[in-house]
Coordinates of all heavy atoms in Angstrom, one line a residue:
G14 N 162.0 55.6 117.3 CA 161.8 54.3 117.9 C 162.1 54.3 119.4 O 162.4 53.3 120.0
Q17 N 160.1 52.1 122.8 CA 160.4 50.8 123.4 C 161.8 50.3 122.9 O 162.4 50.9 122.0 CB 159.3 49.8 123.0 CG 159.2 49.5 121.5 CD 158.1 48.5 121.2 OE1 157.1 48.4 121.8 NE2 158.4 47.7 120.2
G18 N 162.2 49.2 123.5 CA 163.4 48.5 123.0 C 164.7 49.3 123.1 O 164.9 50.0 124.1
I19 N 165.5 49.1 122.1 CA 166.8 49.8 122.1 C 166.7 51.3 122.1 O 167.5 52.0 122.8 CB 167.6 49.3 120.8 CG1 168.0 47.8 121.0 CG2 168.8 50.2 120.6 CD1 168.5 47.2 119.7
D38 N 158.1 58.5 117.8 CA 157.8 57.1 117.5 C 156.3 57.1 117.0 O 155.6 58.1 117.1 CB 157.9 56.2 118.8 CG 158.0 54.7 118.5 OD1 157.1 54.1 117.9 OD2 159.1 54.2 118.9
V39 N 155.9 56.0 116.4 CA 154.5 55.8 116.0 C 153.7 55.3 117.2 O 152.4 55.4 117.1 CB 154.3 54.9 114.8 CG1 154.7 55.5 113.5 CG2 155.0 53.5 115.0
R40 N 154.3 54.8 118.2 CA 153.6 54.2 119.4 C 153.4 55.4 120.3 O 154.2 55.6 121.2 CB 154.5 53.2 120.0 CG 154.5 51.9 119.3 CD 155.4 50.8 120.0 NE 155.7 49.8 119.1 CZ 154.9 48.7 118.8 NH1 153.8 48.6 119.5 NH2 155.2 47.8 117.9
L60 N 155.9 60.4 115.4 CA 156.6 60.5 114.2 C 156.6 59.2 113.5 O 156.9 58.1 114.0 CB 158.1 60.8 114.5 CG 159.1 60.7 113.3 CD1 158.9 61.8 112.3 CD2 160.5 60.6 113.7
D61 N 156.2 59.2 112.2 CA 156.5 58.1 111.3 C 157.7 58.5 110.5 O 157.7 59.5 109.8 CB 155.3 57.8 110.4 CG 155.5 56.6 109.5 OD1 156.6 56.3 109.1 OD2 154.5 55.9 109.2
V62 N 158.8 57.7 110.7 CA 160.1 58.2 110.1 C 160.0 58.2 108.6 O 160.9 58.8 108.0 CB 161.2 57.2 110.5 CG1 161.5 57.4 112.0 CG2 161.0 55.8 110.1
S88 N 166.7 54.8 115.8 CA 166.5 53.4 116.2 C 165.3 52.8 115.7 O 165.1 51.6 115.8 CB 166.5 53.3 117.8 OG 166.5 52.0 118.2
A89 N 164.4 53.6 115.1 CA 163.1 53.0 114.5 C 163.5 52.0 113.5 O 164.3 52.2 112.6 CB 162.3 54.1 113.9
I138 N 171.1 53.1 114.1 CA 171.2 51.7 114.6 C 171.0 50.8 113.5 O 170.0 50.7 112.8 CB 170.0 51.5 115.7 CG1 170.1 52.5 116.8 CG2 170.2 50.1 116.2 CD1 171.4 52.5 117.7
G139 N 172.1 50.1 113.2 CA 172.1 49.1 112.1 C 171.8 47.7 112.7 O 170.9 47.5 113.5
S140 N 172.7 46.7 112.4 CA 172.5 45.4 112.9 C 173.7 44.6 112.4 O 174.3 44.9 111.4 CB 171.2 44.8 112.3 OG 171.2 43.4 112.5
Y153 N 165.3 43.0 105.4 CA 165.9 43.5 106.6 C 167.4 43.6 106.4 O 168.1 44.6 106.6 CB 165.6 42.6 107.8 CG 166.1 43.1 109.1 CD1 165.5 44.2 109.8 CD2 167.3 42.5 109.7 CE1 166.0 44.6 111.0 CE2 167.8 43.0 110.9 CZ 167.2 44.0 111.6 OH 167.7 44.5 112.8
K157 N 170.0 46.8 106.3 CA 171.0 47.0 107.3 C 172.4 47.1 106.6 O 173.3 47.8 107.2 CB 171.0 45.9 108.4 CG 169.7 46.0 109.2 CD 169.5 47.3 109.9 CE 168.3 47.4 110.8 NZ 168.2 48.6 111.5
P183 N 173.9 46.3 116.7 CA 173.6 45.4 117.8 C 173.6 43.9 117.3 O 173.3 43.7 116.2 CB 172.2 45.8 118.3 CG 171.9 47.1 117.7 CD 172.7 47.2 116.4
G184 N 173.9 43.0 118.2 CA 173.7 41.6 118.0 C 172.3 41.2 118.4 O 171.3 42.0 118.2
I186 N 169.4 41.1 120.7 CA 169.1 41.9 121.9 C 167.6 41.6 122.3 O 166.7 41.5 121.4 CB 169.2 43.4 121.6 CG1 170.6 43.8 120.9 CG2 168.9 44.3 122.8 CD1 171.8 43.5 121.8
T188 N 164.3 42.5 123.1 CA 163.4 43.7 123.0 C 162.0 43.2 122.5 O 161.9 42.0 122.1 CB 163.9 44.7 121.9 OG1 163.8 44.2 120.6 CG2 165.3 45.2 122.2
P189 N 161.0 44.0 122.4 CA 159.7 43.6 121.8 C 159.9 43.1 120.4 O 159.2 42.1 120.0 CB 158.9 44.8 121.9 CG 159.4 45.6 123.1 CD 160.9 45.4 123.1
M190 N 160.9 43.6 119.6 CA 161.1 43.1 118.3 C 161.4 41.7 118.2 O 161.1 40.9 117.3 CB 162.2 43.9 117.6 CG 162.5 43.5 116.2 SD 163.9 44.4 115.4 CE 163.0 45.8 114.7
T191 N 162.2 41.2 119.2 CA 162.7 39.8 119.2 C 161.9 38.9 120.2 O 162.3 37.8 120.5 CB 164.2 39.8 119.6 OG1 164.3 40.5 120.8 CG2 165.0 40.4 118.5
Ligands
NAD1 N1 166.5 43.6 118.9 C1 167.5 43.1 118.2 O1 168.0 42.0 118.4 C2 168.2 44.0 117.2 C3 169.4 43.5 116.7 C4 170.0 44.3 115.7 C5 169.5 45.5 115.4 N2 168.3 45.9 115.9 C6 167.8 47.2 115.4 O2 167.6 48.1 116.5 C7 166.6 49.0 116.2 C8 165.5 49.0 117.3 O3 165.1 47.6 117.4 P1 164.3 47.1 118.7 O4 164.7 45.7 118.9 O5 164.3 48.1 119.8 O6 162.8 47.0 118.1 P2 161.4 47.3 118.7 O7 160.4 46.8 117.7 O8 161.4 46.8 120.1 O9 161.3 48.9 118.7 C9 161.3 49.6 117.5 C10 160.6 50.9 117.6 O10 160.5 51.5 116.4 C11 159.2 52.0 116.2 N3 158.9 52.2 114.8 C12 158.7 51.2 113.9 N4 158.4 51.7 112.7 C13 158.4 53.0 112.8 C14 158.1 54.1 112.0 N5 157.8 53.9 110.7 N6 158.3 55.4 112.5 C15 158.6 55.6 113.8 N7 158.8 54.6 114.6 C16 158.7 53.3 114.2 C17 158.3 51.0 116.9 O11 157.1 51.6 117.2 C18 159.1 50.7 118.1 O12 158.9 51.5 119.2 C19 166.0 48.6 114.9 O13 166.5 49.4 113.9 C20 166.5 47.1 114.7 O14 166.6 46.8 113.4 C21 167.6 45.2 116.8

Side-chain angles (χ1 to χ4, degrees):
Q17 68 180 30
I19 290 170
D38 203 298
V39 286
R40 288 180 195 274
L60 170 73
D61 184 327
V62 293
S88 189
I138 306 298
S140 167
Y153 184 79
K157 293 303 184 178
I186 311 297
T188 69
M190 179 184 274
T191 52

